[in-house]
Amino acid sequence: MVDYSVNGSVALLLVNNPPVNALSYAVRKGLADGMSKATKDKKVKAIVIAGKGRTFPAGADIREFSGPKRDPWLVPVGNGIEQSGKPVVAAIHGTCLGGGLEMALFCHYRVALKSAKVGFPEVALGILPGAAGTQRLPRVTGLPIAFDMITSGRHVPAEQAKKYGIIDEIVTGDIVNAGIKYAMSVVGHSTIPRRLRGRAVPDAENVQKYADAAMAQVKRKYKGFEAPVYCVKAVQASAGKSYDLGVENEQTLFKVLGQSGQARAQQYAFFAERLVGKWEMPGGNSQTAKPVPVKSVAVIGAGTMGTGIAVCILSAGLPCYLVEQNSKFLDNGIRTIKALMEGSVKLGKISLEVGRRATSLLKPTMSYDDLTGVDLVIEAVYENIDLKKEIFAKLDRICKPSTILCSNTSSLDIDRIAVATKRPEKCVGVHFFAPAYHMKLLENIYSTKTSPETAATVMKLGKTIGKVPVLVKSCQGFLANRMNTPFGNESTFLVEEGALPWEVDQVMEDFGMPMGPFKVRDLSGLDISMKITAEIAKTLGVTLTDETRFVAGSRYSHMNTMLAKKGRLGRKAGKGWYKYEKAGGKIPTIDDEVISILDNHRRNLGIERRTISSQEIIERLLYSCINEGFKILEEGIAKRPEEIDISWLYGFTFPKYLGGPMYYANQVGLSRVYDRICYYHETFPYSKHWVPSLLLRRLSEQNIPMSQWMASPGAKL
Ligand code: 3HC
């Protein structure tokens, strides 16, 4: 795991633990053994630690966190490095993260390639740097940067890291040779002044001021997350305590966090995110299907979604046509894209240079004839099946035979769109979430005809444009919206039965959702949800009128439509489920008119108002979705619970510290969830989403936790 060699007077400890050289037990032991060998060897005057393959160690081995701790731990290994009288140089390339950066900070010198990045991403795993990183970084960078890096987990490019004092020199060429050359230049130098444990934290007297600012920031930015708060406490101790006491304090906090439910959920989410990249569909999978190269893209429609998608494509450095039917719409689209790019530059998300280059790749046009040679087209017009079919037929006639045709749809069946073409195997759904330039989820949808190559192409495109792509089978609403539909319906039913919109919102925000369902509706516009409902009803062949409450064996509410018809279209109209008068119409406030609309509505329907508990709100909103999630697994729309959880984390901003709805259900206990679903099914027999999933019933009855389900084919239906 650590290859030891001596080159002249320099010993090389080359970590060899692919793919990311994680600091597993064998690596830690290898480093300790290598240090001891190099220390004893009189020929050796300096030591280099580097990583073989693609990176310097990218952290501790996360998989080991769930097992028993095995010595040597990183801190004693690091102490051995720091105490060495022979200079130790960390030669960094790739991603030097977490425990990897901590190892580097135990070394006396750090050199890096310009392309390297360093950081402490532990916070994203629900923990904190637990090998003295919270004590050593502030001694190098000062407190404000240490607070920022450790609470945000951001990856810092090498040149920036040099400015912070983390890197001593940017080197070029082969990293091992560069490391050895640097090591030779420091042979004979005393290591004592280079030992960070002996350094004072700069500006330590102002620690309270910096800590207060950092705490206020994490409480606002990472509401509900425990790890950032602990990170602040650990870094703060670096200035108030001795180095050794600071490390001791860090170890205690590390242990507490490591055993918390949040850490386990966030680490589950880390591996789930990687797992969804290993997709499967009839006829192929991520290993066997080869993506076709995509060098140019076209987006049809310059509305909110189209422009957002174009920004994603352009930001990834791909040329992108933007197609609109008239110059007014096209000009608006161009303006929106430029404004979004300028906004990203201002926020520091991209550099001015990248922003300019991206904008220069935009090719606005009103002619489909320009699209003959593009590799991939994304149709992003509004949800109207006839219009989408018309566009697909046109694209099929004009584009070269190899062009992949994608529809950005949130629910329309891809088979029904693809039928308009002679290339159904090259037709696929790509569901972006609003705002498309910001939300990380890309739900890719294969139809009965989509080829694995086409699926592989959109999965790869998703990664290229910085999204987390999840592949699902086409059905009404696909994974995300199908599963989210009961969430929306139940929230309206609760309000019909007696809860108030702001009470439902508060319960869900306390649960961890960034915004309650009624605020979300106001933000996206009640007219939009009204149109989508009407389009879905058309697809299902049902008629939704104001009076209709039970159609096709299910319960419907027309409250959104009712409010929309009263001009309450949401935030843009100054009123919806809330009213918006304060702070330029951005702050939702309680509206008495909504209370009387609800009272009238209940009277008309003969519903007697009742008190609804927070627990019932959570169960009705979430358990109904979880039940649908199990049906999605049963039907093979998604292959694994991880695909569902990732869709919720990145599509609906479900709190990461709860892992996702399926993980959450497992934590609550599948039997408990199943029992409550059965109870609600008895109470609301006309709501299809309460019909219990057979898979959930089987897992609950046989007491099989979800983690075991995939490995237990007997439990499969
Ligand atoms: N431990 C165990 N496995 C890891 C790992 C780690 N620290 N980091 C990555 N892996 C695995 C992934 O699960 C994946 O496995 P798979 O091929 O079986 O799916 C494989 O390595 C490759 O990972 P990615 O697909 O993510 O590769 P990328 O090239 O896209 O990204 C990366 C590389 C930026 C290093 C990314 O993997 C990453 O962010 N890793 C986590 C880094 C991290 O969080 N480090 C801190 C760990 S905690 C720690 O160090 C505690 C310490 O303070 C005591």
Side-chain angles (χ1 to χ4, degrees):
M1 290 282 177
V2 177
D3 301 337
Y4 182 87
S5 60
V6 178
N7 303 261
S9 57
V10 178
L12 172 65
L13 275 57
L14 193 61
V15 180
N16 182 7
N17 184 19
V20 298
N21 288 322
L23 295 156
S24 61
Y25 160 74
V27 172
R28 299 194 300 272
K29 173 119 184 18
L31 284 172
D33 291 349
M35 280 304 299
S36 137
K37 221 168 171 180
T39 310
K40 283 183 201 139
D41 187 341
K42 291 216 172 67
K43 279 201 315 288
V44 171
K45 305 285 181 228
I47 300 155
V48 170
I49 298 180
K52 193 170 178 179
R54 65 197 239 203
T55 186
F56 194 82
D61 188 336
I62 305 165
R63 290 186 200 277
E64 282 185 357
F65 292 167
S66 49
K69 197 174 157 195
R70 285 183 81 187
D71 288 333
W73 175 234
L74 283 166
V75 177
V77 176
N79 286 339
I81 294 170
E82 181 165 65
Q83 292 311 315
S84 163
K86 301 177 184 181
V88 186
V89 178
I92 299 168
H93 77 300
T95 40
C96 166
L97 304 174
L101 180 54
E102 288 170 309
M103 276 303 112
L105 289 172
F106 276 110
C107 297
H108 307 112
Y109 301 92
R110 289 160 290 280
V111 299
L113 293 183
K114 190 177 161 193
S115 55
K117 288 189 172 155
V118 305
F120 281 122
E122 284 88 341
V123 70
L125 299 169
I127 53 173
L128 50 74
T134 63
Q135 306 306 297
R136 304 179 81 81
L137 189 69
R139 287 172 160 77
V140 178
T141 63
L143 288 160
I145 290 166
F147 275 124
D148 172 51
M149 275 182 68
I150 291 175
T151 59
S152 71
R154 71 191 167 93
H155 295 188
V156 179
E159 282 185 329
Q160 186 73 53
K162 181 163 186 279
K163 288 191 190 131
Y164 290 168
I166 300 170
I167 302 296
D168 296 299
E169 198 166 299
I170 302 289
V171 292
T172 52
D174 175 72
I175 186 61
V176 170
N177 291 339
I180 292 174
K181 192 169 160 208
Y182 190 88
M184 277 157 52
S185 75
V186 291
V187 165
H189 291 206
S190 165
T191 62
I192 295 170
R194 304 291 307 178
R195 296 178 188 167
L196 292 178
R197 63 156 43 235
R199 250 187 231 178
V201 173
D203 205 8
E205 57 282 9
N206 282 317
V207 65
Q208 197 57 51
K209 182 180 85 182
Y210 298 131
D212 288 347
M215 194 61 95
Q217 159 123 335
V218 301
K219 291 212 163 146
R220 185 168 37 84
K221 237 173 144 179
Y222 312 112
K223 202 172 145 231
F225 285 86
E226 287 165 1
V229 171
Y230 278 61
C231 287
V232 173
K233 288 184 187 166
V235 174
Q236 182 172 6
S238 70
K241 297 182 194 286
S242 69
Y243 172 80
D244 286 327
L245 282 179
V247 172
E248 205 178 301
N249 179 62
E250 176 199 89
Q251 296 300 294
T252 309
L253 297 177
F254 180 70
K255 211 166 157 189
V256 173
L257 275 181
Q259 288 165 356
S260 74
Q262 291 206 353
R264 275 195 289 272
Q266 287 176 247
Q267 286 161 30
Y268 158 82
F270 174 85
F271 288 114
E273 185 173 333
R274 272 126 198 106
L275 198 70
V276 299
K278 300 181 173 90
W279 52 269
E280 261 180 65
M281 64 179 278
N285 58 48
S286 52
Q287 297 293 312
T288 57
K290 294 279 160 280
V292 301
V294 175
K295 297 210 170 69
S296 60
V297 176
V299 173
I300 314 287
T304 312
M305 285 314 285
T307 48
I309 295 169
V311 166
C312 301
I313 306 287
L314 295 164
S315 304
L318 286 168
C320 182
Y321 286 95
L322 182 70
V323 187
E324 254 304 347
Q325 53 189 344
N326 71 43
S327 57
K328 192 174 148 230
F329 289 164
L330 193 58
D331 288 346
N332 277 343
I334 300 166
R335 260 197 304 278
T336 307
I337 290 173
K338 285 191 174 156
L340 287 172
M341 287 292 182
E342 278 162 17
S344 293
V345 172
K346 267 192 204 141
L347 288 172
K349 286 187 185 167
I350 51 171
S351 68
L352 184 61
E353 193 192 333
V354 171
R356 282 201 181 129
R357 196 172 141 248
T359 313
S360 74
L361 294 168
L362 178 65
K363 300 177 184 178
T365 179
M366 286 189 289
S367 169
Y368 276 64
D369 292 337
D370 287 340
L371 311 187
T372 336
V374 291
D375 297 320
L376 184 141
V377 184
I378 301 174
E379 160 279 304
V381 301
Y382 61 93
E383 294 285 62
N384 178 308
I385 186 104
D386 298 331
L387 179 60
K388 284 180 187 272
K389 279 168 80 172
E390 193 186 311
I391 291 171
F392 265 61
K394 201 165 171 180
L395 290 168
D396 191 39
R397 281 196 304 276
I398 290 166
C399 297
K400 61 183 178 181
S402 59
T403 304
I404 289 179
L405 307 181
C406 314
S407 176
N408 171 57
T409 169
S410 62
S411 58
L412 301 177
D413 188 351
I414 304 303
D415 273 308
R416 296 187 60 209
I417 301 174
V419 85
T421 74
K422 293 194 185 70
R423 58 176 98 186
E425 74 290 353
K426 291 198 162 56
C427 296
V428 65
V430 290
H431 176 199
F432 285 80
F433 287 70
Y437 52 86
H438 176 69
M439 296 302 281
K440 274 182 87 178
L441 179 66
L442 179 65
E443 185 180 35
N444 289 330
I445 309 107
Y446 65 89
S447 73
T448 54
K449 304 268 168 41
T450 306
S451 71
E453 287 67 33
T454 301
T457 307
V458 288
M459 289 301 279
K460 174 145 190 256
L461 179 73
K463 282 206 166 160
T464 307
I465 63 175
K467 304 286 177 203
V468 180
V470 173
L471 186 69
V472 302
K473 186 165 110 182
S474 185
C475 69
Q476 182 59 49
F478 319 135
L479 184 167
N481 276 1
R482 172 172 164 184
M483 196 170 157
N484 194 38
T485 300
F487 190 90
N489 286 340
E490 281 297 321
S491 56
T492 317
F493 299 157
L494 283 165
V495 158
E496 281 184 345
E497 289 163 34
L500 290 168
W502 29 95
E503 287 169 359
V504 176
D505 279 355
Q506 193 59 54
V507 169
M508 294 322 289
E509 286 166 23
D510 290 346
F511 176 82
M513 301 299 285
M515 217 186 242
F518 292 97
K519 284 185 194 155
V520 171
R521 284 182 207 184
D522 275 359
L523 192 60
S524 49
L526 271 64
D527 48 340
I528 305 291
S529 51
M530 186 169 88
K531 274 190 197 143
I532 293 174
T533 311
E535 194 61 29
I536 293 173
K538 201 167 91 188
T539 324
L540 292 174
V542 297
T543 319
L544 285 183
T545 65
D546 277 5
E547 295 73 37
T548 312
R549 292 189 45 74
F550 301 102
V551 189
S554 206
R555 175 184 177 185
Y556 290 89
S557 166
H558 60 267
M559 289 215 61
N560 256 343
T561 309
M562 197 173 78
L563 260 69
K565 283 187 178 165
K566 287 184 192 298
R568 305 190 70 100
L569 299 182
R571 203 156 113 172
K572 62 187 168 193
K575 56 184 182 174
W577 287 96
Y578 291 83
K579 64 180 172 189
Y580 298 84
E581 285 162 353
K582 292 188 184 157
K586 286 190 179 150
I587 307 263
T589 46
I590 291 173
D591 191 346
D592 289 340
E593 201 187 319
V594 172
I595 301 179
S596 61
I597 293 174
L598 285 171
D599 286 341
N600 277 336
H601 180 69
R602 284 190 211 101
R603 248 193 314 274
N604 291 340
L605 294 177
I607 298 174
E608 199 171 320
R609 192 170 174 198
R610 67 184 179 91
T611 307
I612 297 173
S613 71
S614 304
Q615 184 60 25
E616 179 173 345
I617 293 176
I618 290 176
E619 289 179 358
R620 296 263 306 267
L621 262 57
L622 288 179
Y623 291 10
S624 54
C625 299
I626 289 165
N627 193 33
E628 200 62 37
F630 278 101
K631 291 179 190 171
I632 283 170
L633 289 174
E634 242 170 73
E635 293 170 26
I637 303 301
K639 292 271 184 292
R640 316 176 182 104
E642 285 87 348
E643 286 160 347
I644 296 178
D645 285 333
I646 289 297
S647 298
W648 276 68
L649 294 180
Y650 293 128
F652 301 129
T653 332
F654 191 89
K656 211 175 207 174
Y657 56 78
L658 294 176
M662 306 306 272
Y663 180 89
Y664 170 76
N666 208 36
Q667 296 307 107
V668 172
L670 296 187
S671 299
R672 152 106 196 144
V673 173
Y674 175 69
D675 288 348
R676 296 304 290 160
I677 287 171
C678 291
Y679 165 78
Y680 288 119
H681 179 46
E682 268 171 38
T683 315
F684 308 110
Y686 39 75
S687 279
K688 269 202 267 190
H689 58 247
W690 286 121
V691 175
S693 143
L694 296 178
L695 173 61
L696 176 58
R697 189 176 93 188
R698 182 76 61 91
L699 297 183
S700 157
E701 282 173 355
Q702 296 180 9
N703 208 13
I704 300 172
M706 205 144 33
S707 49
Q708 270 175 37
W709 170 59
M710 290 307 293
S712 165
K716 284 186 189 167
L717 291 171

